[in-house]
Amino acid sequence: MALIVQKYGGTSVGTPERIGLVADKVAGWRKKGNDVVVVVSAMSGETDRLLSLADAVAGVPPPRELDVLLATGEQVTIALLSMALEMRGIPARSYTGSQVHIRTDSAHNKARIREIEDKRIHADLADGRVVVVAGFQGADEYGNITTLGRGGSDTTAVALAAALKADECQIYTDVDGVYTTDPRVVPEARRLDRITFEEMLEMASLGSRVLQIRSVSFAGRYNVPLRVLSTFEEGEGTLITYEDETMEQALISGIAFNRDEAKLTIMGVPDKPGVAHQLLGPIAEANIEVDMIIQNVAPDGATTDFTFTVHRNDYKKGLAILEKTARAMGAREVSGDDKIVKISLVGVGMRSHAGIASTMFEALAKEGVNIRMISTSEIKVSVVVDEKYLELGVRTLHDTFKLEQPEVI
Ligand code: ASP
Ligand code: MG
Protein backbone atom coordinates (compact mmCIF):
# COMPACT_ATOMS: atom_id res chain seq x y z
CA MET A 1 0.00 0.00 0.00
CA ALA A 2 1.36 3.31 -1.09
CA LEU A 3 0.57 6.97 -0.60
CA ILE A 4 0.09 8.56 -3.98
CA VAL A 5 -0.52 12.16 -4.93
CA GLN A 6 -2.21 12.49 -8.31
CA LYS A 7 -2.70 15.68 -10.25
CA TYR A 8 -5.23 16.03 -13.06
CA GLY A 9 -4.89 18.98 -15.41
CA GLY A 10 -7.54 21.18 -16.96
CA THR A 11 -8.28 19.01 -20.00
CA SER A 12 -8.59 15.93 -17.76
CA VAL A 13 -11.40 17.62 -15.81
CA GLY A 14 -12.69 19.71 -18.71
CA THR A 15 -16.21 18.22 -18.87
CA PRO A 16 -18.56 16.39 -16.46
CA GLU A 17 -17.88 13.17 -18.39
CA ARG A 18 -14.15 13.58 -17.98
CA ILE A 19 -14.53 14.27 -14.28
CA GLY A 20 -16.39 10.94 -14.14
CA LEU A 21 -13.48 9.29 -15.93
CA VAL A 22 -11.01 10.78 -13.45
CA ALA A 23 -13.20 9.55 -10.58
CA ASP A 24 -13.09 6.04 -12.07
CA LYS A 25 -9.31 6.20 -12.23
CA VAL A 26 -8.97 7.48 -8.67
CA ALA A 27 -11.42 4.84 -7.47
CA GLY A 28 -9.30 2.18 -9.16
CA TRP A 29 -6.15 3.28 -7.29
CA ARG A 30 -8.06 3.51 -4.03
CA LYS A 31 -9.59 0.05 -4.40
CA LYS A 32 -6.12 -1.41 -4.80
CA GLY A 33 -5.51 -0.23 -1.25
CA ASN A 34 -3.56 2.95 -1.90
CA ASP A 35 -3.97 6.18 0.00
CA VAL A 36 -4.79 8.79 -2.60
CA VAL A 37 -4.57 12.58 -2.51
CA VAL A 38 -5.82 14.25 -5.67
CA VAL A 39 -4.93 17.74 -6.86
CA VAL A 40 -7.00 19.23 -9.67
CA SER A 41 -6.75 22.21 -11.99
CA ALA A 42 -9.69 24.29 -13.08
CA MET A 43 -11.72 23.00 -16.04
CA SER A 44 -9.79 23.77 -19.23
CA GLY A 45 -10.28 27.35 -20.38
CA GLU A 46 -11.73 28.42 -17.04
CA THR A 47 -8.70 30.32 -15.74
CA ASP A 48 -8.49 32.18 -19.06
CA ARG A 49 -12.20 32.97 -18.85
CA LEU A 50 -11.78 34.39 -15.35
CA LEU A 51 -8.79 36.44 -16.48
CA SER A 52 -10.79 37.98 -19.30
CA LEU A 53 -13.62 38.82 -16.91
CA ALA A 54 -11.16 40.65 -14.70
CA ASP A 55 -9.74 42.37 -17.73
CA ALA A 56 -13.18 43.50 -18.85
CA VAL A 57 -14.02 44.93 -15.44
CA ALA A 58 -10.70 46.37 -14.37
CA GLY A 59 -8.09 46.35 -17.12
CA VAL A 60 -5.27 45.98 -14.64
CA PRO A 61 -7.01 44.22 -11.75
CA PRO A 62 -5.70 44.54 -8.18
CA PRO A 63 -3.55 41.41 -7.68
CA ARG A 64 -5.24 40.45 -4.40
CA GLU A 65 -8.71 40.47 -5.92
CA LEU A 66 -7.49 38.67 -9.02
CA ASP A 67 -6.36 35.80 -6.79
CA VAL A 68 -9.76 35.64 -5.08
CA LEU A 69 -11.29 35.35 -8.53
CA LEU A 70 -8.83 32.88 -10.08
CA ALA A 71 -8.99 30.54 -7.09
CA THR A 72 -12.67 29.87 -7.82
CA GLY A 73 -11.81 27.79 -10.90
CA GLU A 74 -10.25 25.03 -8.82
CA GLN A 75 -12.94 25.22 -6.17
CA VAL A 76 -15.44 24.05 -8.79
CA THR A 77 -13.43 20.99 -9.81
CA ILE A 78 -12.56 19.79 -6.29
CA ALA A 79 -16.26 19.78 -5.39
CA LEU A 80 -17.34 18.06 -8.60
CA LEU A 81 -14.67 15.39 -8.36
CA SER A 82 -15.47 14.68 -4.72
CA MET A 83 -19.15 14.30 -5.61
CA ALA A 84 -18.27 11.94 -8.44
CA LEU A 85 -16.15 9.86 -6.05
CA GLU A 86 -18.90 9.70 -3.42
CA MET A 87 -21.31 8.60 -6.18
CA ARG A 88 -18.96 5.70 -6.81
CA GLY A 89 -18.98 4.72 -3.17
CA ILE A 90 -15.55 6.19 -2.46
CA PRO A 91 -15.56 8.48 0.60
CA ALA A 92 -13.94 11.75 -0.42
CA ARG A 93 -13.47 15.26 0.83
CA SER A 94 -12.55 18.42 -1.03
CA TYR A 95 -10.40 21.20 0.36
CA THR A 96 -9.33 24.59 -0.90
CA GLY A 97 -5.67 25.49 -0.53
CA SER A 98 -6.20 27.57 2.57
CA GLN A 99 -8.30 24.85 4.23
CA VAL A 100 -5.33 22.48 4.20
CA HIS A 101 -3.01 25.33 5.15
CA ILE A 102 -1.00 25.65 1.99
CA ARG A 103 0.82 28.62 3.37
CA THR A 104 2.46 30.89 0.80
CA ASP A 105 4.23 34.21 0.78
CA SER A 106 2.18 37.28 -0.10
CA ALA A 107 3.32 37.64 -3.72
CA HIS A 108 -0.13 37.63 -5.30
CA ASN A 109 -0.44 35.90 -8.70
CA LYS A 110 2.99 34.28 -8.32
CA ALA A 111 3.14 33.16 -4.72
CA ARG A 112 5.61 30.59 -3.42
CA ILE A 113 4.66 27.82 -1.05
CA ARG A 114 6.30 28.16 2.37
CA GLU A 115 4.78 25.24 4.25
CA ILE A 116 1.92 22.79 4.30
CA GLU A 117 0.26 21.41 7.37
CA ASP A 118 -0.36 17.74 6.76
CA LYS A 119 -2.39 16.80 9.88
CA ARG A 120 -5.85 17.20 8.41
CA ILE A 121 -4.97 15.30 5.27
CA HIS A 122 -3.37 12.45 7.20
CA ALA A 123 -6.44 12.26 9.44
CA ASP A 124 -8.75 11.97 6.43
CA LEU A 125 -6.55 9.35 4.83
CA ALA A 126 -6.53 7.39 8.08
CA ASP A 127 -10.32 7.50 7.99
CA GLY A 128 -10.25 5.93 4.54
CA ARG A 129 -11.08 9.04 2.53
CA VAL A 130 -9.68 10.27 -0.72
CA VAL A 131 -8.56 13.87 -0.22
CA VAL A 132 -9.15 16.25 -3.12
CA VAL A 133 -7.16 19.50 -2.96
CA ALA A 134 -7.49 22.59 -5.14
CA GLY A 135 -4.32 23.17 -7.13
CA PHE A 136 -2.71 26.52 -7.88
CA GLN A 137 -3.78 28.23 -4.66
CA GLY A 138 -2.90 28.85 -1.05
CA ALA A 139 -3.16 31.58 1.56
CA ASP A 140 -0.58 33.89 3.06
CA GLU A 141 0.00 34.34 6.78
CA TYR A 142 -2.86 36.86 6.97
CA GLY A 143 -5.33 34.48 5.35
CA ASN A 144 -5.35 36.26 1.99
CA ILE A 145 -5.97 33.90 -0.93
CA THR A 146 -2.95 33.60 -3.22
CA THR A 147 -2.26 31.80 -6.50
CA LEU A 148 0.99 30.25 -7.66
CA GLY A 149 1.26 31.37 -11.29
CA ARG A 150 -0.07 29.71 -14.43
CA GLY A 151 0.28 25.96 -14.41
CA GLY A 152 0.74 26.12 -10.63
CA SER A 153 -1.30 23.01 -9.86
CA ASP A 154 1.73 20.88 -10.70
CA THR A 155 3.64 22.68 -7.99
CA THR A 156 0.79 22.15 -5.53
CA ALA A 157 0.91 18.42 -6.25
CA VAL A 158 4.67 18.15 -5.82
CA ALA A 159 4.62 20.25 -2.65
CA LEU A 160 1.88 18.08 -1.19
CA ALA A 161 3.76 14.93 -2.14
CA ALA A 162 6.86 16.28 -0.42
CA ALA A 163 4.98 17.36 2.70
CA LEU A 164 3.12 14.04 2.99
CA LYS A 165 6.22 12.03 2.08
CA ALA A 166 4.24 10.36 -0.69
CA ASP A 167 5.69 7.41 -2.54
CA GLU A 168 5.01 8.99 -5.90
CA CYS A 169 3.55 12.12 -7.44
CA GLN A 170 1.65 11.37 -10.63
CA ILE A 171 0.91 14.15 -13.08
CA TYR A 172 -1.97 13.10 -15.34
CA THR A 173 -2.23 15.08 -18.52
CA ASP A 174 -3.23 14.78 -22.18
CA VAL A 175 0.11 13.36 -23.35
CA ASP A 176 1.46 10.00 -22.25
CA GLY A 177 4.91 11.07 -21.12
CA VAL A 178 8.10 12.89 -21.98
CA TYR A 179 9.52 12.20 -25.43
CA THR A 180 13.04 12.16 -26.83
CA THR A 181 11.98 15.23 -28.77
CA ASP A 182 8.79 16.90 -29.98
CA PRO A 183 6.92 14.22 -32.02
CA ARG A 184 5.52 16.98 -34.22
CA VAL A 185 9.05 17.55 -35.49
CA VAL A 186 10.30 13.96 -35.37
CA PRO A 187 7.46 11.44 -35.72
CA GLU A 188 9.83 8.63 -34.59
CA ALA A 189 10.38 10.36 -31.25
CA ARG A 190 10.15 7.82 -28.43
CA ARG A 191 8.54 8.08 -25.03
CA LEU A 192 11.17 7.86 -22.29
CA ASP A 193 10.57 5.38 -19.48
CA ARG A 194 12.62 7.48 -17.15
CA ILE A 195 14.63 10.65 -17.08
CA THR A 196 16.54 12.42 -14.30
CA PHE A 197 15.38 15.67 -12.67
CA GLU A 198 18.50 17.33 -14.04
CA GLU A 199 17.81 16.25 -17.60
CA MET A 200 14.20 17.25 -17.33
CA LEU A 201 15.21 20.74 -16.24
CA GLU A 202 17.56 21.02 -19.18
CA MET A 203 14.78 19.87 -21.47
CA ALA A 204 12.46 22.57 -20.17
CA SER A 205 11.41 23.51 -23.68
CA LEU A 206 10.12 19.98 -24.24
CA GLY A 207 9.02 19.42 -20.69
CA SER A 208 6.96 22.55 -20.41
CA ARG A 209 4.46 20.95 -22.76
CA VAL A 210 3.73 18.38 -20.07
CA LEU A 211 4.34 20.04 -16.75
CA GLN A 212 5.30 23.25 -15.04
CA ILE A 213 9.09 23.25 -14.91
CA ARG A 214 9.15 24.90 -11.49
CA SER A 215 7.53 21.77 -10.11
CA VAL A 216 10.43 19.69 -11.42
CA SER A 217 13.04 21.67 -9.49
CA PHE A 218 10.82 21.37 -6.44
CA ALA A 219 10.55 17.60 -6.90
CA GLY A 220 14.31 17.35 -7.36
CA ARG A 221 15.00 19.33 -4.24
CA TYR A 222 12.72 17.16 -2.09
CA ASN A 223 13.42 13.96 -3.99
CA VAL A 224 9.81 13.29 -4.91
CA PRO A 225 9.57 10.72 -7.71
CA LEU A 226 7.45 12.36 -10.37
CA ARG A 227 5.55 10.46 -13.05
CA VAL A 228 3.95 12.04 -16.09
CA LEU A 229 1.18 9.98 -17.64
CA SER A 230 -1.95 10.19 -19.75
CA THR A 231 -5.43 10.42 -18.30
CA PHE A 232 -6.89 8.97 -21.46
CA GLU A 233 -4.54 6.10 -22.32
CA GLU A 234 -3.19 3.26 -20.23
CA GLY A 235 0.58 3.24 -19.78
CA GLU A 236 3.49 3.72 -17.44
CA GLY A 237 4.26 7.25 -18.60
CA THR A 238 7.67 8.73 -17.82
CA LEU A 239 9.24 8.61 -14.39
CA ILE A 240 11.32 11.65 -13.47
CA THR A 241 13.70 10.70 -10.73
CA TYR A 242 17.22 10.67 -9.39
CA GLU A 243 20.09 9.21 -11.31
CA ASP A 244 20.23 5.52 -10.55
CA GLU A 245 23.82 4.32 -10.44
CA THR A 246 22.90 0.69 -10.93
CA MET A 247 21.45 1.48 -14.32
CA GLU A 248 23.50 2.22 -17.37
CA GLN A 249 22.54 5.63 -18.62
CA ALA A 250 21.63 6.29 -22.18
CA LEU A 251 24.19 8.62 -23.71
CA ILE A 252 21.60 11.11 -24.86
CA SER A 253 18.13 11.31 -23.38
CA GLY A 254 16.63 13.88 -25.63
CA ILE A 255 16.87 16.82 -27.96
CA ALA A 256 15.31 20.04 -26.80
CA PHE A 257 14.89 23.10 -28.92
CA ASN A 258 13.89 26.66 -28.53
CA ARG A 259 12.27 28.63 -31.30
CA ASP A 260 12.08 31.97 -29.57
CA GLU A 261 15.72 32.93 -29.54
CA ALA A 262 17.42 36.06 -30.79
CA LYS A 263 21.01 37.16 -30.68
CA LEU A 264 22.63 40.52 -30.21
CA THR A 265 26.21 41.43 -31.09
CA ILE A 266 28.33 44.42 -30.22
CA MET A 267 31.64 44.81 -32.00
CA GLY A 268 34.76 46.75 -31.23
CA VAL A 269 34.29 47.40 -27.54
CA PRO A 270 37.39 48.22 -25.48
CA ASP A 271 38.87 45.05 -23.98
CA LYS A 272 39.32 45.98 -20.34
CA PRO A 273 37.96 45.05 -16.92
CA GLY A 274 34.32 45.90 -16.38
CA VAL A 275 33.18 45.74 -20.00
CA ALA A 276 30.95 42.70 -19.62
CA HIS A 277 29.23 44.37 -16.72
CA GLN A 278 28.83 47.64 -18.60
CA LEU A 279 27.20 45.81 -21.51
CA LEU A 280 25.02 43.35 -19.68
CA GLY A 281 24.17 45.46 -16.63
CA PRO A 282 21.59 47.62 -18.46
CA ILE A 283 20.16 44.49 -20.11
CA ALA A 284 19.65 42.86 -16.72
CA GLU A 285 18.17 46.05 -15.31
CA ALA A 286 15.60 45.98 -18.09
CA ASN A 287 14.66 42.48 -16.85
CA ILE A 288 15.90 40.83 -20.00
CA GLU A 289 17.18 37.34 -19.40
CA VAL A 290 20.41 36.45 -21.15
CA ASP A 291 21.12 32.84 -22.07
CA MET A 292 24.36 32.22 -23.99
CA ILE A 293 27.20 34.70 -23.88
CA ILE A 294 30.27 34.69 -26.07
CA GLN A 295 33.18 37.08 -25.85
CA ASN A 296 35.86 36.90 -28.49
CA VAL A 297 39.56 37.18 -27.87
CA ALA A 298 40.72 40.60 -28.92
CA PRO A 299 42.76 40.13 -32.10
CA ASP A 300 44.29 43.59 -31.84
CA GLY A 301 44.68 43.38 -28.09
CA ALA A 302 42.55 46.50 -27.70
CA THR A 303 38.98 45.78 -28.69
CA THR A 304 36.71 42.75 -28.56
CA ASP A 305 33.30 41.51 -29.76
CA PHE A 306 30.44 40.27 -27.65
CA THR A 307 27.44 38.17 -28.64
CA PHE A 308 24.60 37.02 -26.43
CA THR A 309 21.16 35.51 -26.83
CA VAL A 310 17.85 36.69 -25.42
CA HIS A 311 14.21 35.70 -25.76
CA ARG A 312 12.80 36.85 -29.09
CA ASN A 313 10.22 39.01 -27.31
CA ASP A 314 13.06 41.01 -25.79
CA TYR A 315 14.94 41.44 -29.07
CA LYS A 316 13.88 44.98 -29.99
CA LYS A 317 14.20 46.24 -26.44
CA GLY A 318 17.63 44.61 -26.09
CA LEU A 319 18.84 46.04 -29.38
CA ALA A 320 17.82 49.56 -28.38
CA ILE A 321 19.61 49.26 -25.05
CA LEU A 322 22.73 47.88 -26.68
CA GLU A 323 22.80 50.68 -29.24
CA LYS A 324 22.70 53.21 -26.44
CA THR A 325 25.50 51.39 -24.59
CA ALA A 326 27.53 51.22 -27.80
CA ARG A 327 27.36 54.98 -28.25
CA ALA A 328 28.37 55.55 -24.64
CA MET A 329 31.33 53.16 -24.92
CA GLY A 330 32.42 54.14 -28.38
CA ALA A 331 31.88 50.65 -29.77
CA ARG A 332 32.19 50.11 -33.50
CA GLU A 333 28.94 48.40 -34.39
CA VAL A 334 25.81 46.71 -33.08
CA SER A 335 23.94 44.00 -34.95
CA GLY A 336 21.37 41.35 -34.24
CA ASP A 337 19.35 38.47 -35.61
CA ASP A 338 15.96 37.29 -34.44
CA LYS A 339 15.68 34.39 -36.87
CA ILE A 340 17.72 31.94 -34.87
CA VAL A 341 16.89 28.86 -32.79
CA LYS A 342 18.69 26.80 -30.19
CA ILE A 343 19.00 23.03 -30.38
CA SER A 344 20.30 21.11 -27.36
CA LEU A 345 21.40 17.54 -26.81
CA VAL A 346 20.71 16.50 -23.23
CA GLY A 347 21.92 13.45 -21.33
CA VAL A 348 23.57 12.61 -18.03
CA GLY A 349 25.42 9.84 -19.87
CA MET A 350 27.44 12.57 -21.57
CA ARG A 351 29.43 13.11 -18.39
CA SER A 352 31.39 9.95 -18.88
CA HIS A 353 31.65 10.06 -22.66
CA ALA A 354 33.89 12.29 -24.71
CA GLY A 355 33.13 13.10 -28.30
CA ILE A 356 29.40 13.78 -28.12
CA ALA A 357 29.86 17.38 -29.20
CA SER A 358 32.09 16.50 -32.13
CA THR A 359 29.64 13.84 -33.34
CA MET A 360 26.94 16.48 -33.14
CA PHE A 361 28.93 19.05 -35.11
CA GLU A 362 29.89 16.50 -37.74
CA ALA A 363 26.29 15.43 -38.26
CA LEU A 364 25.12 19.01 -38.67
CA ALA A 365 27.99 19.81 -41.02
CA LYS A 366 27.09 16.88 -43.29
CA GLU A 367 23.64 18.43 -43.71
CA GLY A 368 25.10 21.85 -44.41
CA VAL A 369 23.74 23.34 -41.20
CA ASN A 370 25.89 26.26 -40.14
CA ILE A 371 26.45 26.56 -36.40
CA ARG A 372 26.43 30.16 -35.18
CA MET A 373 27.05 29.69 -31.46
CA ILE A 374 27.92 26.81 -29.16
CA SER A 375 27.62 26.33 -25.44
CA THR A 376 28.12 23.29 -23.26
CA SER A 377 27.45 22.15 -19.74
CA GLU A 378 28.13 18.83 -18.06
CA ILE A 379 24.97 17.23 -19.43
CA LYS A 380 24.11 19.45 -22.39
CA VAL A 381 25.50 20.69 -25.70
CA SER A 382 23.61 23.53 -27.34
CA VAL A 383 24.02 25.10 -30.73
CA VAL A 384 22.41 28.17 -32.22
CA VAL A 385 21.47 27.81 -35.89
CA ASP A 386 19.35 29.71 -38.39
CA GLU A 387 15.64 29.22 -37.88
CA LYS A 388 15.24 27.51 -41.25
CA TYR A 389 17.46 24.63 -40.07
CA LEU A 390 15.48 23.77 -36.96
CA GLU A 391 13.58 20.76 -38.28
CA LEU A 392 16.51 19.44 -40.30
CA GLY A 393 18.86 19.88 -37.35
CA VAL A 394 16.64 18.15 -34.84
CA ARG A 395 15.84 15.26 -37.20
CA THR A 396 19.48 14.79 -38.12
CA LEU A 397 20.56 14.62 -34.50
CA HIS A 398 17.70 12.33 -33.49
CA ASP A 399 18.83 10.00 -36.25
CA THR A 400 22.56 10.29 -35.56
CA PHE A 401 22.16 9.37 -31.91
CA LYS A 402 19.57 6.68 -32.71
CA LEU A 403 17.09 8.06 -30.22
CA GLU A 404 14.21 6.18 -31.81
CA GLN A 405 15.66 2.96 -30.39
CA PRO A 406 15.00 1.91 -26.82
CA GLU A 407 17.74 2.85 -24.38
CA VAL A 408 20.20 0.23 -23.23
CA ILE A 409 19.68 -1.06 -19.71
N1 ASP B 1 -5.77 26.67 -13.55
C1 ASP B 1 -4.47 27.22 -13.48
C2 ASP B 1 -3.99 27.58 -14.87
O1 ASP B 1 -4.70 27.39 -15.83
C3 ASP B 1 -3.50 26.31 -12.78
C4 ASP B 1 -3.21 25.01 -13.48
O2 ASP B 1 -3.91 24.61 -14.38
O3 ASP B 1 -2.23 24.36 -13.11
O4 ASP B 1 -2.90 28.06 -15.02
MG1 MG C 1 -2.55 23.34 -16.46
Side-chain angles (χ1 to χ4, degrees):
M1 173 158 149
L3 170 52
I4 297 164
V5 174
Q6 303 188 324
K7 181 260 172 174
Y8 293 90
T11 40
S12 305
V13 294
T15 63
E17 294 72 36
R18 286 185 170 184
I19 290 175
L21 193 84
V22 167
D24 288 336
K25 267 196 170 318
V26 174
W29 282 89
R30 178 74 196 111
K31 281 177 186 155
K32 277 187 214 140
N34 300 292
D35 281 337
V36 188
V37 174
V38 185
V39 173
V40 284
S41 290
M43 296 170 94
S44 55
E46 178 63 7
T47 308
D48 289 331
R49 189 185 72 88
L50 295 168
L51 277 168
S52 60
L53 279 176
D55 182 64
V57 169
V60 185
R64 182 192 182 279
E65 303 315 322
L66 186 60
D67 277 348
V68 175
L69 178 71
L70 293 184
T72 62
E74 274 75 7
Q75 191 166 337
V76 170
T77 46
I78 53 170
L80 291 174
L81 179 60
S82 301
M83 290 175 197
L85 284 165
E86 292 273 347
M87 278 290 299
R88 284 160 177 76
I90 305 288
R93 230 171 227 187
S94 64
Y95 291 108
T96 63
S98 70
Q99 282 179 310
V100 284
H101 302 285
I102 298 182
R103 177 85 57 245
T104 71
D105 59 20
S106 300
H108 285 290
N109 315 159
K110 49 174 190 302
R112 302 239 157 202
I113 297 177
R114 288 251 174 89
E115 58 181 0
I116 297 180
E117 202 213 79
D118 55 357
K119 275 202 211 96
R120 192 159 184 179
I121 297 175
H122 276 306
D124 273 326
L125 292 175
D127 285 344
R129 292 192 191 96
V130 168
V131 178
V132 184
V133 180
F136 174 60
Q137 56 176 266
D140 71 3
E141 58 179 316
Y142 309 106
N144 297 302
I145 294 174
T146 54
T147 64
L148 309 178
R150 297 307 303 268
S153 298
D154 293 340
T155 299
T156 305
V158 172
L160 270 170
L164 298 167
K165 301 193 176 50
D167 296 291
E168 194 167 287
C169 180
Q170 304 176 336
I171 307 284
Y172 283 89
T173 176
D174 46 4
V175 293
D176 67 345
V178 180
Y179 278 69
T180 48
T181 195
D182 190 335
R184 289 172 298 192
V185 173
V186 184
E188 299 78 32
R190 181 175 47 83
R191 182 182 54 77
L192 293 160
D193 291 329
R194 57 194 292 285
I195 182 173
T196 68
F197 291 119
E198 261 182 302
E199 289 170 320
M200 190 68 202
L201 289 171
E202 294 285 17
M203 302 228 291
S205 68
L206 289 177
S208 54
R209 282 188 62 221
V210 281
L211 81 177
Q212 196 199 36
I213 284 305
R214 195 171 125 201
S215 71
V216 179
S217 17
F218 210 108
R221 193 148 13 108
Y222 293 96
N223 198 9
V224 177
L226 197 59
R227 192 182 290 278
V228 174
L229 60 186
S230 163
T231 310
F232 310 107
E233 286 166 49
E234 289 299 317
E236 296 293 298
T238 300
L239 181 67
I240 309 167
T241 179
Y242 264 109
E243 209 172 326
D244 182 349
E245 261 120 52
T246 63
M247 224 176 217
E248 195 183 326
Q249 291 295 342
L251 218 47
I252 307 295
S253 286
I255 301 170
F257 54 83
N258 229 321
R259 292 181 197 271
D260 350 278
E261 302 272 322
K263 71 184 175 70
L264 295 165
T265 300
I266 180 165
M267 279 169 289
V269 289
D271 189 21
K272 58 175 195 222
V275 173
H277 176 63
Q278 256 177 290
L279 286 175
L280 295 172
I283 298 283
E285 269 158 43
N287 258 321
I288 298 178
E289 223 175 288
V290 172
D291 181 19
M292 290 188 199
I293 305 174
I294 291 177
Q295 184 192 345
N296 265 344
V297 285
D300 54 2
T303 66
T304 183
D305 305 337
F306 245 88
T307 301
F308 56 91
T309 60
V310 297
H311 193 280
R312 218 173 266 185
N313 291 344
D314 291 327
Y315 176 64
K316 291 227 171 70
K317 197 161 109 186
L319 197 59
I321 295 172
L322 203 59
E323 269 159 1
K324 209 168 132 201
T325 313
R327 277 194 298 277
M329 294 174 77
R332 196 173 63 240
E333 195 187 328
V334 167
S335 66
D337 187 348
D338 65 348
K339 299 271 178 305
I340 56 156
V341 294
K342 183 170 79 171
I343 303 176
S344 308
L345 282 182
V346 178
V348 288
M350 244 183 240
R351 278 201 197 110
S352 46
H353 281 266
I356 299 290
S358 80
T359 307
M360 178 187 196
F361 305 153
E362 187 190 12
L364 293 172
K366 270 195 197 142
E367 295 297 327
V369 177
N370 190 25
I371 300 171
R372 315 271 233 112
M373 292 171 86
I374 300 168
S375 87
T376 63
S377 78
E378 226 189 341
I379 66 162
K380 181 168 89 165
V381 187
S382 303
V383 294
V384 165
V385 301
D386 291 347
E387 190 176 69
K388 62 178 184 218
Y389 291 131
L390 176 81
E391 277 79 11
L392 176 63
V394 173
R395 278 188 206 127
T396 301
L397 295 174
H398 203 273
D399 215 50
T400 303
F401 290 96
K402 302 197 167 35
L403 296 187
E404 74 288 352
Q405 292 170 15
E407 44 215 293
V408 280
I409 298 183

